[in-house]
Amino acid sequence: MHGTHGLRTTVPAHPSHVPGVRALVAEHLALLRLPAHRLDDAVLAAGELFTNALRHGSPERGDTITVGIECGPYELRVSVADRSPALPARRTADGPEESGRGLTIVAALTDDWGVAAADPGTTGKKVWFSMLLRGLR
């Protein structure tokens, strides 16, 4: 993205880091002066992707998860990379189930989402979402 502002951080794959990841995304996007509703949606979606990476992508002790944020004049993209090559799948959770809704939430809050290959020299994948910003800033 031309004129992109970005952030990339790698954190231990542990549930105790979920609030910190959400706070980091919120702090970075607040600096970019995103509208409040888009900021809230991005923070929630990033938290869902990080939680999915914890549950399904980095189960080994000592694993890490990398969170990336790229924000250009017209688009925000957040990616979460883990070490598992297993691709995520949207599923429908039954009523009382506490899990299974993460990608449905991401799809509802963002303009697009998908999976990309891991960065060169690493294993696994990146799950990302994007939000169009045209006219919102």
Side-chain angles (χ1 to χ4, degrees):
M1 288 185 217
H2 182 65
T4 299
H5 299 280
L7 173 76
R8 182 181 159 126
T9 188
T10 300
V11 297
H14 191 272
S16 65
H17 290 277
V18 174
V21 166
R22 286 186 179 141
L24 180 71
V25 171
E27 187 176 305
H28 187 73
L29 296 182
L31 293 173
L32 299 174
R33 297 193 173 123
L34 290 181
H37 72 284
R38 291 305 256 181
L39 188 145
D40 292 343
D41 290 349
V43 170
L44 181 56
E48 291 297 328
L49 291 187
F50 188 82
T51 299
N52 281 353
L54 283 172
R55 288 188 181 173
H56 308 292
S58 295
E60 300 297 321
R61 185 177 184 91
D63 276 354
T64 59
I65 297 172
T66 300
V67 178
I69 301 171
E70 296 175 79
C71 191
Y74 305 108
E75 181 182 45
L76 164 69
R77 183 177 285 235
V78 175
S79 63
V80 176
D82 62 55
R83 296 182 186 205
S84 171
L87 298 179
R90 244 173 104 175
R91 63 185 194 114
T92 303
D94 291 332
E97 286 186 52
E98 290 186 21
S99 65
R101 294 176 180 82
L103 292 177
T104 299
I105 291 169
V106 170
L109 296 176
T110 66
D111 294 310
D112 197 11
W113 74 275
V115 181
D119 289 335
T122 64
T123 60
K125 65 182 171 302
K126 287 192 271 189
V127 183
W128 57 268
F129 68 81
S130 65
M131 301 172 91
L132 299 177
L133 303 176
R134 186 176 310 221
L136 294 177
R137 293 217 233 175

